Amino acid sequence: MKISSRALAYISILAGASSTAAAEKCLSGSFILEYEGDCDRETLVEVFNDQVFGPAKSSACDGVTAEEELVAQLAAAVPSTTIEEFCANIYKSQPEVPFTDILKKDENMTYEKAFFLGHSSLQEEVETTYETSDGSATSVLKEDGELVRAHYQGSAQTKKTEWPKLPNFASSGTDSHGQPTCTTSAAMCCWTKDRQAADNNGNCNRNTYSENCVDSNPGDNTDLCFVDLER
């Protein structure tokens, strides 16, 4: 997920006020960093150097690196913070998309629960030409799963997606912000067959699924015949 430049403008508030226990810093005044991308130490230091430290550097900063100055600026802010804490707060403040917005089914997430159990139409219905009089294909995964692709290429690029509140992921574990999460911090789906013809994913590469691809295997990275969840 990419954080928005609007969120990073928050750094101007932090750097604009000095703490009584301020760390040594060589630049005075507030500043704003604007960019789109990840929020981590390496990226912030690079942006800070390009937009603030480099252009404003004076003799007072001789011997001081951009990273040292950014650390000092954040330490001197009110409230005092670190690069890691700052990025965590930025991420926490980002807009969150409800998980139900992806497939736009019912609010009880009945369909999503079935999906993560491996029993939804996305897994069980295979492409076929037997359901139409003109021989056109139905249950085409690219079409049936269009909302998932649209979410990934759209909202998921700039917003967080809510962790699904499903019994599939019930756990006593919480993340660094006290939010419920699974202890493995991962969700996995096992696909046991190739359900669409000629999509370059699996060994069903002929044009007609119903005649040539019954019970064909999916892509190698998802072809699992046994899973031991205790390991």
Side-chain angles (χ1 to χ4, degrees), residues 39 43 46 90 94 189 203 210 213:
C39 188
T43 303
E46 181 179 352
I90 289 294
Q94 293 295 288
C189 270
N203 67 357
S210 302
C213 296

Side-chain angles (χ1 to χ4, degrees), residues 5 30 42 58 69 89 97 109 118 137 139 149 153 164 167 185 222:
S5 58
S30 62
E42 181 179 358
S58 65
E69 179 60 13
N89 287 330
V97 179
M109 299 180 69
S139 297
R149 183 202 62 78
Q153 294 182 351
S185 299
T222 59

Side-chain angles (χ1 to χ4, degrees), residues 34-49:
E34 293 187 276
Y35 77 98
E36 184 177 292
D38 296 329
C39 188
D40 53 45
R41 176 175 288 267
E42 181 179 358
T43 303
L44 272 187
V45 169
E46 181 179 352
V47 173
F48 176 72
N49 185 56

Side-chain angles (χ1 to χ4, degrees), residues 111-161:
Y111 187 89
E112 287 84 352
K113 178 180 178 181
F115 174 82
F116 284 110
L117 288 174
H119 300 307
S120 77
S121 58
L122 284 176
Q123 289 115 327
E124 295 184 339
E125 292 185 3
V126 297
E127 182 178 327
T128 181
T129 55
Y130 290 164
E131 297 178 340
T132 57
S133 59
D134 62 357
S136 59
T138 58
S139 297
V140 179
L141 182 60
K142 186 175 182 179
E143 298 172 1
D144 295 348
E146 169 63 20
L147 290 176
V148 177
R149 183 202 62 78
H151 171 72
Y152 174 74
Q153 294 182 351
S155 298
Q157 297 300 310
T158 57
K159 299 177 182 178
K160 295 186 295 183
T161 300

Side-chain angles (χ1 to χ4, degrees), residues 15 20 26 36 79 99-100 105 128 133 145 160 168 177 193 221:
T20 54
C26 60
E36 184 177 292
F99 199 82
T100 51
K105 302 285 187 180
T128 181
S133 59
K160 295 186 295 183
N168 310 55
H177 303 297
K193 59 187 173 184
N221 65 328

